[in-house]
Amino acid sequence: MSERETPPKATFGVEMGPNDPRIRIQIGERSIPVDIEPEQAAELGLALLAASAVCSPGHPRPQEGEVIQSAHMPVVGWQTGTLSVARLPVLLATLLGGARLILRFTPEQAAGCGEALQSVAATVKEAG
């Protein structure tokens, strides 16, 4: 490939392997399966969310070669509601970088989470 040619675009997907999750990396015609353990999937997911946030416009970019690890995820928007079938409370959090997380709670968990957030917010406001 000459320097002027654009390298083939890479795409990524996640599928279930024989025992554990598998990342499938597609580069041009080449498909590369990489089996990972559930714990590795969690670590990678958090690192990718952090990369999305720290590489967003207006955010200071990490230096080339700097490892991007999981970080606090700035929430830029949120919505609440219920799952239509199960009627369980959900929180949709939109993160800096555009990722959208949908968190499902039991009613008791949702009430406890809301109360805990209110308590923390009140403490922070008092200290400020």
Side-chain angles (χ1 to χ4, degrees), residues 78-117:
W78 54 269
Q79 294 175 305
T80 59
T82 59
L83 292 175
S84 59
V85 175
R87 302 289 302 157
L88 291 173
V90 294
L91 169 65
L92 183 142
T94 303
L95 306 179
L96 180 64
R100 294 171 49 159
L101 300 178
I102 301 173
L103 306 174
R104 184 187 71 206
F105 296 87
T106 65
E108 296 78 19
Q109 289 171 323
C113 180
E115 290 170 7
L117 281 171

mmCIF file of all heavy atoms in Angstrom, residues 78-117:
data_model
loop_
_atom_site.group_PDB
_atom_site.id
_atom_site.type_symbol
_atom_site.label_atom_id
_atom_site.label_comp_id
_atom_site.label_asym_id
_atom_site.label_seq_id
_atom_site.Cartn_x
_atom_site.Cartn_y
_atom_site.Cartn_z
ATOM 1 N N TRP A 78 -29.743 13.142 30.977
ATOM 2 C CA TRP A 78 -30.336 11.931 31.523
ATOM 3 C C TRP A 78 -31.846 11.969 31.332
ATOM 4 O O TRP A 78 -32.438 13.033 31.181
ATOM 5 C CB TRP A 78 -29.980 11.740 32.994
ATOM 6 C CG TRP A 78 -30.319 12.912 33.856
ATOM 7 C CD1 TRP A 78 -29.505 13.958 34.150
ATOM 8 C CD2 TRP A 78 -31.562 13.176 34.506
ATOM 9 N NE1 TRP A 78 -30.165 14.864 34.948
ATOM 10 C CE2 TRP A 78 -31.428 14.404 35.171
ATOM 11 C CE3 TRP A 78 -32.769 12.513 34.588
ATOM 12 C CZ2 TRP A 78 -32.456 14.975 35.927
ATOM 13 C CZ3 TRP A 78 -33.806 13.073 35.324
ATOM 14 C CH2 TRP A 78 -33.629 14.286 35.991
ATOM 15 N N GLN A 79 -32.423 10.786 31.319
ATOM 16 C CA GLN A 79 -33.868 10.611 31.264
ATOM 17 C C GLN A 79 -34.224 9.437 32.151
ATOM 18 O O GLN A 79 -33.400 8.548 32.377
ATOM 19 C CB GLN A 79 -34.338 10.284 29.843
ATOM 20 C CG GLN A 79 -34.134 11.395 28.847
ATOM 21 C CD GLN A 79 -34.521 10.942 27.449
ATOM 22 O OE1 GLN A 79 -34.013 9.951 26.969
ATOM 23 N NE2 GLN A 79 -35.435 11.674 26.821
ATOM 24 N N THR A 80 -35.441 9.446 32.648
ATOM 25 C CA THR A 80 -35.928 8.323 33.432
ATOM 26 C C THR A 80 -37.216 7.812 32.801
ATOM 27 O O THR A 80 -37.874 8.512 32.039
ATOM 28 C CB THR A 80 -36.208 8.718 34.898
ATOM 29 O OG1 THR A 80 -37.188 9.757 34.916
ATOM 30 C CG2 THR A 80 -34.938 9.180 35.594
ATOM 31 N N GLY A 81 -37.541 6.584 33.124
ATOM 32 C CA GLY A 81 -38.771 5.992 32.615
ATOM 33 C C GLY A 81 -38.881 4.572 33.112
ATOM 34 O O GLY A 81 -38.247 4.190 34.090
ATOM 35 N N THR A 82 -39.686 3.793 32.404
ATOM 36 C CA THR A 82 -39.844 2.394 32.755
ATOM 37 C C THR A 82 -39.738 1.556 31.490
ATOM 38 O O THR A 82 -40.011 2.031 30.384
ATOM 39 C CB THR A 82 -41.213 2.097 33.406
ATOM 40 O OG1 THR A 82 -42.244 2.468 32.495
ATOM 41 C CG2 THR A 82 -41.374 2.835 34.722
ATOM 42 N N LEU A 83 -39.304 0.316 31.678
ATOM 43 C CA LEU A 83 -39.340 -0.638 30.573
ATOM 44 C C LEU A 83 -40.800 -0.974 30.318
ATOM 45 O O LEU A 83 -41.552 -1.222 31.263
ATOM 46 C CB LEU A 83 -38.556 -1.902 30.931
ATOM 47 C CG LEU A 83 -37.056 -1.747 31.059
ATOM 48 C CD1 LEU A 83 -36.431 -3.050 31.539
ATOM 49 C CD2 LEU A 83 -36.451 -1.353 29.731
ATOM 50 N N SER A 84 -41.190 -0.988 29.071
ATOM 51 C CA SER A 84 -42.603 -1.135 28.749
ATOM 52 C C SER A 84 -43.198 -2.460 29.200
ATOM 53 O O SER A 84 -44.322 -2.503 29.676
ATOM 54 C CB SER A 84 -42.831 -0.943 27.254
ATOM 55 O OG SER A 84 -42.075 -1.885 26.524
ATOM 56 N N VAL A 85 -42.473 -3.545 29.076
ATOM 57 C CA VAL A 85 -43.036 -4.853 29.416
ATOM 58 C C VAL A 85 -42.913 -5.133 30.912
ATOM 59 O O VAL A 85 -43.894 -5.460 31.576
ATOM 60 C CB VAL A 85 -42.330 -5.968 28.603
ATOM 61 C CG1 VAL A 85 -42.820 -7.333 29.021
ATOM 62 C CG2 VAL A 85 -42.551 -5.746 27.121
ATOM 63 N N ALA A 86 -41.719 -4.989 31.453
ATOM 64 C CA ALA A 86 -41.468 -5.356 32.846
ATOM 65 C C ALA A 86 -41.868 -4.261 33.830
ATOM 66 O O ALA A 86 -41.979 -4.522 35.023
ATOM 67 C CB ALA A 86 -39.992 -5.706 33.031
ATOM 68 N N ARG A 87 -42.072 -3.045 33.335
ATOM 69 C CA ARG A 87 -42.410 -1.901 34.191
ATOM 70 C C ARG A 87 -41.361 -1.677 35.273
ATOM 71 O O ARG A 87 -41.678 -1.312 36.400
ATOM 72 C CB ARG A 87 -43.799 -2.073 34.823
ATOM 73 C CG ARG A 87 -44.930 -2.250 33.849
ATOM 74 C CD ARG A 87 -45.302 -1.018 33.069
ATOM 75 N NE ARG A 87 -45.664 0.082 33.950
ATOM 76 C CZ ARG A 87 -45.595 1.346 33.570
ATOM 77 N NH1 ARG A 87 -45.207 1.671 32.377
ATOM 78 N NH2 ARG A 87 -45.926 2.288 34.405
ATOM 79 N N LEU A 88 -40.095 -1.884 34.921
ATOM 80 C CA LEU A 88 -39.002 -1.616 35.845
ATOM 81 C C LEU A 88 -38.446 -0.227 35.567
ATOM 82 O O LEU A 88 -38.353 0.198 34.406
ATOM 83 C CB LEU A 88 -37.894 -2.657 35.689
ATOM 84 C CG LEU A 88 -38.243 -4.064 36.159
ATOM 85 C CD1 LEU A 88 -37.129 -5.037 35.791
ATOM 86 C CD2 LEU A 88 -38.514 -4.087 37.651
ATOM 87 N N PRO A 89 -38.045 0.510 36.615
ATOM 88 C CA PRO A 89 -37.479 1.842 36.410
ATOM 89 C C PRO A 89 -36.150 1.761 35.645
ATOM 90 O O PRO A 89 -35.354 0.847 35.862
ATOM 91 C CB PRO A 89 -37.232 2.355 37.828
ATOM 92 C CG PRO A 89 -38.092 1.510 38.711
ATOM 93 C CD PRO A 89 -38.188 0.183 38.029
ATOM 94 N N VAL A 90 -35.940 2.716 34.740
ATOM 95 C CA VAL A 90 -34.674 2.818 34.015
ATOM 96 C C VAL A 90 -34.174 4.246 34.085
ATOM 97 O O VAL A 90 -34.945 5.200 34.204
ATOM 98 C CB VAL A 90 -34.789 2.371 32.535
ATOM 99 C CG1 VAL A 90 -35.097 0.898 32.419
ATOM 100 C CG2 VAL A 90 -35.795 3.204 31.777
ATOM 101 N N LEU A 91 -32.868 4.361 34.017
ATOM 102 C CA LEU A 91 -32.186 5.645 33.927
ATOM 103 C C LEU A 91 -31.335 5.587 32.678
ATOM 104 O O LEU A 91 -30.492 4.696 32.544
ATOM 105 C CB LEU A 91 -31.305 5.881 35.157
ATOM 106 C CG LEU A 91 -30.335 7.061 35.092
ATOM 107 C CD1 LEU A 91 -31.090 8.384 35.022
ATOM 108 C CD2 LEU A 91 -29.406 7.038 36.302
ATOM 109 N N LEU A 92 -31.573 6.485 31.743
ATOM 110 C CA LEU A 92 -30.745 6.590 30.556
ATOM 111 C C LEU A 92 -29.797 7.761 30.794
ATOM 112 O O LEU A 92 -30.245 8.898 30.962
ATOM 113 C CB LEU A 92 -31.599 6.855 29.309
ATOM 114 C CG LEU A 92 -30.806 6.912 28.014
ATOM 115 C CD1 LEU A 92 -31.586 6.270 26.892
ATOM 116 C CD2 LEU A 92 -30.453 8.339 27.654
ATOM 117 N N ALA A 93 -28.511 7.483 30.864
ATOM 118 C CA ALA A 93 -27.493 8.516 31.079
ATOM 119 C C ALA A 93 -26.724 8.705 29.783
ATOM 120 O O ALA A 93 -26.190 7.746 29.226
ATOM 121 C CB ALA A 93 -26.546 8.110 32.205
ATOM 122 N N THR A 94 -26.687 9.938 29.288
ATOM 123 C CA THR A 94 -25.889 10.271 28.114
ATOM 124 C C THR A 94 -24.567 10.840 28.616
ATOM 125 O O THR A 94 -24.556 11.789 29.399
ATOM 126 C CB THR A 94 -26.610 11.292 27.211
ATOM 127 O OG1 THR A 94 -27.875 10.749 26.831
ATOM 128 C CG2 THR A 94 -25.792 11.594 25.969
ATOM 129 N N LEU A 95 -23.470 10.231 28.173
ATOM 130 C CA LEU A 95 -22.142 10.610 28.648
ATOM 131 C C LEU A 95 -21.455 11.549 27.663
ATOM 132 O O LEU A 95 -21.771 11.539 26.463
ATOM 133 C CB LEU A 95 -21.275 9.363 28.837
ATOM 134 C CG LEU A 95 -21.848 8.264 29.720
ATOM 135 C CD1 LEU A 95 -20.883 7.096 29.792
ATOM 136 C CD2 LEU A 95 -22.167 8.792 31.104
ATOM 137 N N LEU A 96 -20.506 12.319 28.164
ATOM 138 C CA LEU A 96 -19.651 13.113 27.303
ATOM 139 C C LEU A 96 -19.020 12.171 26.298
ATOM 140 O O LEU A 96 -18.511 11.116 26.666
ATOM 141 C CB LEU A 96 -18.561 13.814 28.129
ATOM 142 C CG LEU A 96 -17.584 14.687 27.361
ATOM 143 C CD1 LEU A 96 -18.305 15.875 26.727
ATOM 144 C CD2 LEU A 96 -16.477 15.168 28.285
ATOM 145 N N GLY A 97 -19.094 12.473 25.036
ATOM 146 C CA GLY A 97 -18.603 11.587 23.992
ATOM 147 C C GLY A 97 -19.736 10.907 23.258
ATOM 148 O O GLY A 97 -19.539 10.311 22.216
ATOM 149 N N GLY A 98 -20.958 10.956 23.825
ATOM 150 C CA GLY A 98 -22.118 10.445 23.126
ATOM 151 C C GLY A 98 -22.621 9.079 23.533
ATOM 152 O O GLY A 98 -23.686 8.662 23.088
ATOM 153 N N ALA A 99 -21.884 8.346 24.360
ATOM 154 C CA ALA A 99 -22.374 7.031 24.789
ATOM 155 C C ALA A 99 -23.638 7.204 25.613
ATOM 156 O O ALA A 99 -23.788 8.176 26.353
ATOM 157 C CB ALA A 99 -21.310 6.304 25.612
ATOM 158 N N ARG A 100 -24.555 6.256 25.438
ATOM 159 C CA ARG A 100 -25.807 6.275 26.194
ATOM 160 C C ARG A 100 -25.921 4.963 26.955
ATOM 161 O O ARG A 100 -25.913 3.886 26.358
ATOM 162 C CB ARG A 100 -26.983 6.453 25.247
ATOM 163 C CG ARG A 100 -26.971 7.799 24.563
ATOM 164 C CD ARG A 100 -28.001 7.902 23.476
ATOM 165 N NE ARG A 100 -29.295 7.446 23.970
ATOM 166 C CZ ARG A 100 -30.443 7.763 23.436
ATOM 167 N NH1 ARG A 100 -30.481 8.520 22.379
ATOM 168 N NH2 ARG A 100 -31.565 7.295 23.923
ATOM 169 N N LEU A 101 -25.990 5.069 28.262
ATOM 170 C CA LEU A 101 -26.127 3.889 29.113
ATOM 171 C C LEU A 101 -27.559 3.812 29.615
ATOM 172 O O LEU A 101 -28.113 4.805 30.081
ATOM 173 C CB LEU A 101 -25.195 3.977 30.325
ATOM 174 C CG LEU A 101 -23.700 4.084 30.054
ATOM 175 C CD1 LEU A 101 -22.952 4.212 31.372
ATOM 176 C CD2 LEU A 101 -23.213 2.891 29.284
ATOM 177 N N ILE A 102 -28.155 2.647 29.518
ATOM 178 C CA ILE A 102 -29.488 2.429 30.063
ATOM 179 C C ILE A 102 -29.333 1.512 31.266
ATOM 180 O O ILE A 102 -28.925 0.361 31.139
ATOM 181 C CB ILE A 102 -30.429 1.814 29.016
ATOM 182 C CG1 ILE A 102 -30.540 2.737 27.805
ATOM 183 C CG2 ILE A 102 -31.803 1.553 29.636
ATOM 184 C CD1 ILE A 102 -31.301 2.141 26.643
ATOM 185 N N LEU A 103 -29.626 2.045 32.436
ATOM 186 C CA LEU A 103 -29.483 1.296 33.684
ATOM 187 C C LEU A 103 -30.871 0.907 34.172
ATOM 188 O O LEU A 103 -31.757 1.752 34.306
ATOM 189 C CB LEU A 103 -28.766 2.145 34.734
ATOM 190 C CG LEU A 103 -27.414 2.726 34.303
ATOM 191 C CD1 LEU A 103 -26.878 3.667 35.369
ATOM 192 C CD2 LEU A 103 -26.427 1.615 34.024
ATOM 193 N N ARG A 104 -31.067 -0.370 34.436
ATOM 194 C CA ARG A 104 -32.352 -0.900 34.889
ATOM 195 C C ARG A 104 -32.277 -1.174 36.380
ATOM 196 O O ARG A 104 -31.303 -1.737 36.872
ATOM 197 C CB ARG A 104 -32.676 -2.187 34.128
ATOM 198 C CG ARG A 104 -34.038 -2.754 34.481
ATOM 199 C CD ARG A 104 -34.247 -4.093 33.836
ATOM 200 N NE ARG A 104 -33.382 -5.060 34.519
ATOM 201 C CZ ARG A 104 -32.917 -6.165 33.961
ATOM 202 N NH1 ARG A 104 -33.184 -6.456 32.726
ATOM 203 N NH2 ARG A 104 -32.155 -6.977 34.643
ATOM 204 N N PHE A 105 -33.305 -0.766 37.111
ATOM 205 C CA PHE A 105 -33.361 -0.917 38.556
ATOM 206 C C PHE A 105 -34.619 -1.689 38.948
ATOM 207 O O PHE A 105 -35.602 -1.682 38.220
ATOM 208 C CB PHE A 105 -33.466 0.458 39.247
ATOM 209 C CG PHE A 105 -32.285 1.358 39.045
ATOM 210 C CD1 PHE A 105 -32.211 2.201 37.945
ATOM 211 C CD2 PHE A 105 -31.259 1.388 39.968
ATOM 212 C CE1 PHE A 105 -31.133 3.051 37.762
ATOM 213 C CE2 PHE A 105 -30.174 2.242 39.792
ATOM 214 C CZ PHE A 105 -30.119 3.071 38.692
ATOM 215 N N THR A 106 -34.581 -2.270 40.129
ATOM 216 C CA THR A 106 -35.833 -2.678 40.757
ATOM 217 C C THR A 106 -36.444 -1.399 41.326
ATOM 218 O O THR A 106 -35.732 -0.392 41.520
ATOM 219 C CB THR A 106 -35.597 -3.686 41.903
ATOM 220 O OG1 THR A 106 -34.858 -3.031 42.946
ATOM 221 C CG2 THR A 106 -34.862 -4.934 41.417
ATOM 222 N N PRO A 107 -37.729 -1.385 41.638
ATOM 223 C CA PRO A 107 -38.299 -0.182 42.246
ATOM 224 C C PRO A 107 -37.578 0.226 43.532
ATOM 225 O O PRO A 107 -37.337 1.416 43.779
ATOM 226 C CB PRO A 107 -39.760 -0.573 42.520
ATOM 227 C CG PRO A 107 -40.062 -1.598 41.469
ATOM 228 C CD PRO A 107 -38.768 -2.374 41.313
ATOM 229 N N GLU A 108 -37.193 -0.763 44.330
ATOM 230 C CA GLU A 108 -36.490 -0.453 45.590
ATOM 231 C C GLU A 108 -35.117 0.155 45.317
ATOM 232 O O GLU A 108 -34.703 1.103 45.997
ATOM 233 C CB GLU A 108 -36.344 -1.735 46.435
ATOM 234 C CG GLU A 108 -37.661 -2.342 46.900
ATOM 235 C CD GLU A 108 -38.398 -3.124 45.817
ATOM 236 O OE1 GLU A 108 -37.774 -3.524 44.816
ATOM 237 O OE2 GLU A 108 -39.611 -3.322 45.982
ATOM 238 N N GLN A 109 -34.408 -0.389 44.332
ATOM 239 C CA GLN A 109 -33.097 0.171 43.982
ATOM 240 C C GLN A 109 -33.236 1.595 43.456
ATOM 241 O O GLN A 109 -32.435 2.464 43.799
ATOM 242 C CB GLN A 109 -32.416 -0.686 42.914
ATOM 243 C CG GLN A 109 -31.932 -2.026 43.388
ATOM 244 C CD GLN A 109 -31.471 -2.887 42.220
ATOM 245 O OE1 GLN A 109 -32.047 -2.862 41.131
ATOM 246 N NE2 GLN A 109 -30.416 -3.666 42.457
ATOM 247 N N ALA A 110 -34.226 1.836 42.627
ATOM 248 C CA ALA A 110 -34.428 3.177 42.066
ATOM 249 C C ALA A 110 -34.706 4.181 43.171
ATOM 250 O O ALA A 110 -34.135 5.282 43.178
ATOM 251 C CB ALA A 110 -35.572 3.161 41.049
ATOM 252 N N ALA A 111 -35.560 3.814 44.122
ATOM 253 C CA ALA A 111 -35.870 4.716 45.226
ATOM 254 C C ALA A 111 -34.618 4.984 46.072
ATOM 255 O O ALA A 111 -34.322 6.132 46.418
ATOM 256 C CB ALA A 111 -36.986 4.130 46.087
ATOM 257 N N GLY A 112 -33.877 3.924 46.371
ATOM 258 C CA GLY A 112 -32.651 4.086 47.164
ATOM 259 C C GLY A 112 -31.610 4.922 46.449
ATOM 260 O O GLY A 112 -30.955 5.777 47.062
ATOM 261 N N CYS A 113 -31.443 4.708 45.141
ATOM 262 C CA CYS A 113 -30.475 5.472 44.360
ATOM 263 C C CYS A 113 -30.871 6.950 44.332
ATOM 264 O O CYS A 113 -30.033 7.825 44.529
ATOM 265 C CB CYS A 113 -30.390 4.904 42.945
ATOM 266 S SG CYS A 113 -29.217 5.760 41.885
ATOM 267 N N GLY A 114 -32.151 7.219 44.089
ATOM 268 C CA GLY A 114 -32.626 8.599 44.063
ATOM 269 C C GLY A 114 -32.407 9.294 45.394
ATOM 270 O O GLY A 114 -31.940 10.440 45.449
ATOM 271 N N GLU A 115 -32.726 8.611 46.487
ATOM 272 C CA GLU A 115 -32.523 9.186 47.820
ATOM 273 C C GLU A 115 -31.042 9.432 48.095
ATOM 274 O O GLU A 115 -30.658 10.472 48.646
ATOM 275 C CB GLU A 115 -33.106 8.262 48.886
ATOM 276 C CG GLU A 115 -34.615 8.202 48.871
ATOM 277 C CD GLU A 115 -35.174 7.102 49.759
ATOM 278 O OE1 GLU A 115 -34.399 6.452 50.511
ATOM 279 O OE2 GLU A 115 -36.397 6.875 49.700
ATOM 280 N N ALA A 116 -30.190 8.475 47.714
ATOM 281 C CA ALA A 116 -28.752 8.635 47.936
ATOM 282 C C ALA A 116 -28.196 9.808 47.127
ATOM 283 O O ALA A 116 -27.391 10.597 47.645
ATOM 284 C CB ALA A 116 -28.023 7.336 47.575
ATOM 285 N N LEU A 117 -28.624 9.943 45.873
ATOM 286 C CA LEU A 117 -28.169 11.078 45.061
ATOM 287 C C LEU A 117 -28.629 12.407 45.647
ATOM 288 O O LEU A 117 -27.875 13.384 45.679
ATOM 289 C CB LEU A 117 -28.654 10.935 43.616
ATOM 290 C CG LEU A 117 -27.869 9.990 42.725
ATOM 291 C CD1 LEU A 117 -28.603 9.785 41.395
ATOM 292 C CD2 LEU A 117 -26.465 10.523 42.469
#
